[in-house]
Amino acid sequence: MQFSKCTVCYKTIGWTGLVSNIFLSGLKLFVGIVAGSQALIADAMYSFKDLISSVLIIIGLKISLKPVDLEHPYGHGKVEFILTLVVSVVFIGLTGLILLLTMDHFFQGYHKPPHLIALAVAVFSVVANLFLFKYTRCVSTQINSPMVKTLSKHHGADALSSVAVSAGIIGAHYMGLIWMDSLVAVFETIHLLYLGVEIFWESFKGLMDYSAPADVLRKIQQTVLDFDEVKTVETLKTRQVGQGIWIDIVIGVNPDLRVDEAYDVGCQVEAVLFETIEHVAAVNVRFGAHDSRKLLTQGL
Amino acid sequence: MKKEQFFCESQWKIGAAFLTIIAVSLFFWGVHILTEHHEYNISYVPETSTPDSAKAVSVKAEVAQKPVFPADFEKTIVSIGIDSGQDTPLAILGSGVLVSDDGHIVTADHLVAGLSGLHVLQNNVRYESHLIKRVAKSNIALLKIESLKAFPFTSIDCSMIEIGTPVYAFGRDQGIIAKEGIARNTGVSLAINDMIYPDLITTDAIYTWAQSGGPLMNVFGNMVGLNIAISGPQNSIQGFAVPAPTICSKFREIVHVDSITNIKVYAGGLTSQFWKNTRETASEYATQIRNTIESSSSSDLMVYIEGNKGDLWKQARFVADRMAEIYNKADGINYLNNAVSDPELNFFGYHISGVIGLLLLGFVSGISAGMVTMGGGIIKVSGLMIIFGYGLIIIRPVAYITNIFVYSAAALRYKKDNLISWHNVKPLIPFALFGFVFGYFTGIYLNNSTIRMMLGIYALLIGIKVVTEIIRSAMGYPEFEGISQNQTGHRFKNSWLGLPMGVMSGILGISGGVIEVPLQRYVAKVPLKEAIANSSVLVFWTSSLGAVISMVHGAGIGAFEIDTPLILALIVIPGAYFGGMVGAWLTKIMPINLLKSIYCVLMFLIAARMMLFTF
């Protein structure tokens, strides 16, 4: 954050995304229906998806970072997953419905080129999404938030999908390929369905206390073993709660250490893990004496 | 590493305000469409033999009136056929109607689609004709007789016909064919295979195939539609007609349908009609009207003036004044001005969708020119041909005029960067110009399919060239660098290199840079940047000559009015400029090979479309 101004963006990015995407999806849906462009209706779903992302960012940056309280001693991280899960189910349902309608329309064979306003809106959507893309990319690089980074990517992808819609409408309107609009719509809804399932799976993983990625695990192990006093990592469990990673680790320390010395090592490990591993929300370190004979008898 | 610009440092507020304004206006546009919206009945609804009583009752007052057709109107209805040899009779395809004194004929597109060697039989004389413009979506086409004679013609009433109006469907087979009927319905959509023809008139005046392409006329002898005979249930013939407003809006840039004015004078029983082009002066109308009125004994006069916009009002006033002056009994004369209001949004006589399309086409060709510094011309020419259905005779002047603007800007920039070696360019210019003249007049004698094939092959070659470029750069070959010709001496040795470019430019209306750049690079061993700079100078010269020759030639044979290509070019040029800027910007932010791949796909698509499919 080089700029004091960046805090302004940090606070407003969610709301900006929310408002602009409500407007974009509304405009595209409305015009898609008026102009009779299936592809534009499908394209509205892309903006709807960004709308969801923006809502999640607001929640992610506000509610899930609320400090622990008596009723929620482990924080509010899972609110995000629950909301995402619900929204993704609704999203998949809606997209599936649109897919059925577009497929039906496509195979019925009666096509009519959409009104030219659809082209104007699609081109507008390309420009607006590129604009939002530049904005969100700037914010994401400055505040280093993975969620904002995702939103930024989505805006870039939406610009591309609107390019496809424009191509479909141009094809339908100027080149006599009147089925092209419906074809683009079918492809876009299939892609959206895939994205919806992906979102669903992500939130599902979060609720199931899914482990952190393997490379993060390796990094944790490596960091801990760099201590001279730590001989082994007996167990290492992680789970993702909200955007944070919770770490439960049992280390085997040099058996010659006194308890208070071992306790100090544990504290240091905790501090270092907070520093070196990204997105760590909590670390719970226990220690035991490293006993090579015991380990041998256990066959390790 | 490149320093990233912060978003808040850029002028985002202007952009955001701009986007907001556009978004709001788009929304209101949508609301406007929604409120003005009316459903077509998609798919063909067969007419029942008993017409809808509510509609049939409203037969207008004109039904009592005897139809008044001008004396030589039968000569305006022509047969269209294919020449099958010198002494054999014409194989008749259908009918057509003359709509201008220089021999423009409106006919149905399905009659002439994909055919060459079309002949027209007018007043028992056979003429060669060529296709000027097709609008497949509306099933109309415009032909022109290859003759400098003045023909009688039928004027078009550009307003929409009302349901219940009596109509007469004409055609010509061995002789004239006609049947009286009424306009049963309007706004009917007809689905044939994959095509939907919206907004048609249905009528019972059509009973035979030969009426297809002929005019549907009202009682005044004005064309109100173009007949289309369709096979209905039980092998019956169903009559449809393309309404006159469609014909007017699609062809008004070529034929001055707008300015055709009808003045009808009803003087007790005797009716005279004058239908002239506004090129004639109002005083001639006045004389003609005076003659009519003088030859009638009755004082019961009615002057009926109809036409469209503009100086019509002035003429009407003039005629009225003269008549009042002559007869001094203005009380007995009713002036009915039926100036047709144009319901569609128009821009220089082009429907707004056409303008947007042309701008887009210019934009895309500009992007490709700004991106890979070539191939803008082929996109422009094939786009005008495939998408807009223009003939090459009108495409060429448009392309040349656009090229003058685009390439003069480019040449000036190269001059500033000192990349042009005048020493070498000057000897090339006369060869290029000579090649151009040769190419242009050869192109006139090549038929349409040959030219399409040539364009297709050309696009294919460009596509292949770009593929090899991509492969070369992916394999890491170094760019071929020539020797700067500023230092070397042989001045006239390679001057013939201008010739091929001129010929191709003359035949196809493209800039020819794609041919010239490699020739200069590999034959004359000029470095790439200098080759591009030199070519831009050559293109400027050939295009300037091309614009003059093609305009004089085209207007001379009467293929178009001189302002038609000018207006077309005026619409294309801003798009091309903007596209050029965007193209240059794209090359900075996107990997060049990706852009080239997109470009090559486009070229292959054009090639496929040109070589494999007819419309």
Side-chain angles (χ1 to χ4, degrees), chain B residues 388-430:
Chain B
F388 293 92
Y390 287 115
L392 203 62
I393 201 144
I394 199 159
I395 290 176
R396 276 187 291 197
V398 176
Y400 297 140
I401 295 168
T402 319
N403 283 347
I404 294 176
F405 279 85
V406 174
Y407 283 88
S408 62
L412 283 176
R413 201 173 59 238
Y414 293 130
K415 193 183 165 210
K416 221 172 77 183
D417 296 347
N418 220 1
L419 281 169
I420 300 167
S421 57
W422 294 104
H423 181 72
N424 294 300
V425 171
K426 280 177 193 163
L428 289 170
I429 293 173

Side-chain angles (χ1 to χ4, degrees), chain A residues 1 43 54 60 73 84 91 94 123 125 131 135 149 170 186-187 197 201 206 212 225-226 228 234 247 251 256 272 277:
Chain A
M1 267 192 241
D43 205 39
S54 300
T84 319
F91 183 79
L94 273 177
V123 172
S125 163
F131 188 83
Y135 169 60
K149 205 165 273 175
I170 290 173
V186 169
F187 276 117
V197 171
W201 183 237
L225 286 174
D226 277 350
D228 286 340
E234 305 267 324
I247 304 173
I251 50 174
D256 298 339
V272 167
I277 309 295

Side-chain angles (χ1 to χ4, degrees), chain A residues 9-298:
Chain A
C9 286
Y10 173 71
K11 280 177 189 157
T12 53
I13 178 108
W15 295 104
T16 318
L18 183 70
V19 172
S20 52
N21 280 307
I22 284 178
F23 208 95
L24 266 178
S25 56
L27 183 70
K28 284 196 260 191
L29 186 66
F30 170 63
V31 170
I33 292 168
V34 167
S37 171
Q38 309 267 325
L40 202 61
I41 295 172
D43 205 39
M45 289 302 285
Y46 277 93
S47 290
F48 182 65
K49 176 177 60 67
D50 291 349
L51 199 159
I52 297 167
S53 307
S54 300
V55 171
L56 291 180
I57 283 174
I58 294 170
I59 294 165
L61 295 180
K62 289 250 173 73
I63 302 172
S64 67
L65 290 182
K66 245 167 55 173
V68 293
D69 51 35
L70 274 178
E71 285 168 344
H72 306 94
Y74 287 97
H76 299 79
K78 282 190 179 171
V79 168
E80 201 178 315
F81 292 121
I82 293 166
L83 276 175
T84 319
L85 193 75
V86 173
V87 172
S88 66
V89 169
V90 174
F91 183 79
I92 291 171
L94 273 177
T95 316
L97 189 69
I98 294 178
L99 179 64
L100 282 181
L101 289 175
T102 47
M103 290 282 246
D104 184 48
H105 194 266
F106 183 70
F107 287 114
Q108 256 183 11
Y110 279 124
H111 298 294
K112 198 178 149 193
H115 192 278
L116 266 184
I117 188 178
L119 178 60
V121 170
V123 172
F124 169 76
S125 163
V126 175
V127 178
N129 272 311
L130 282 178
F131 188 83
L132 288 169
F133 169 67
K134 289 196 85 171
Y135 169 60
T136 46
R137 195 182 54 178
C138 178
V139 179
S140 74
T141 49
Q142 294 311 311
I143 70 173
N144 198 22
S145 152
M147 271 197 299
V148 180
K149 205 165 273 175
T150 316
L151 181 68
S152 162
K153 266 186 206 159
H154 284 181
H155 279 306
D158 290 359
L160 267 182
S161 77
S162 293
V163 168
V165 173
S166 316
I169 297 168
I170 290 173
H173 215 278
Y174 289 110
M175 300 174 81
L177 312 168
I178 38 175
W179 38 264
M180 216 166 133
D181 182 69
S182 303
L183 187 69
V184 170
V186 169
F187 276 117
E188 294 218 320
T189 38
I190 289 172
H191 182 227
L192 277 166
L193 214 55
Y194 171 75
L195 290 178
V197 171
E198 220 174 44
I199 298 171
F200 176 82
W201 183 237
E202 283 297 320
S203 53
F204 183 75
K205 283 203 300 196
L207 285 175
M208 288 299 288
D209 286 348
Y210 209 79
S211 170
D215 54 328
V216 176
L217 292 180
R218 262 198 302 280
K219 199 176 171 191
I220 293 170
Q221 194 150 18
Q222 198 58 52
T223 314
V224 174
L225 286 174
D226 277 350
F227 283 87
D228 286 340
E229 294 87 350
V230 180
K231 295 298 171 194
T232 53
V233 174
E234 305 267 324
T235 56
L236 171 58
K237 291 184 203 161
T238 59
R239 60 192 157 125
Q240 295 180 342
V241 179
Q243 293 302 308
I245 299 173
W246 289 54
I247 304 173
D248 289 300
I249 188 166
V250 180
I251 50 174
V253 295
N254 190 343
D256 298 339
L257 289 178
R258 293 203 308 272
V259 174
D260 61 334
E261 283 170 342
Y263 178 77
D264 281 348
V265 171
C267 287
Q268 280 168 26
V269 166
E270 194 177 322
V272 167
L273 281 180
F274 264 115
E275 256 171 49
T276 50
I277 309 295
E278 284 168 0
H279 315 306
V280 170
V283 180
N284 185 13
V285 184
R286 288 191 292 141
F287 59 87
H290 168 59
D291 183 349
S292 53
R293 281 164 304 173
K294 186 183 156 205
L295 287 176
L296 273 173
T297 55
Q298 285 177 350

Side-chain angles (χ1 to χ4, degrees), chain B residues 63 164-169 179-184 203-206 217:
Chain B
V63 81
T165 312
V167 286
Y168 305 85
K179 186 172 184 274
E180 189 181 345
I182 59 165
R184 282 274 177 80
T203 175
D204 52 357
I206 295 166
M217 291 198 184

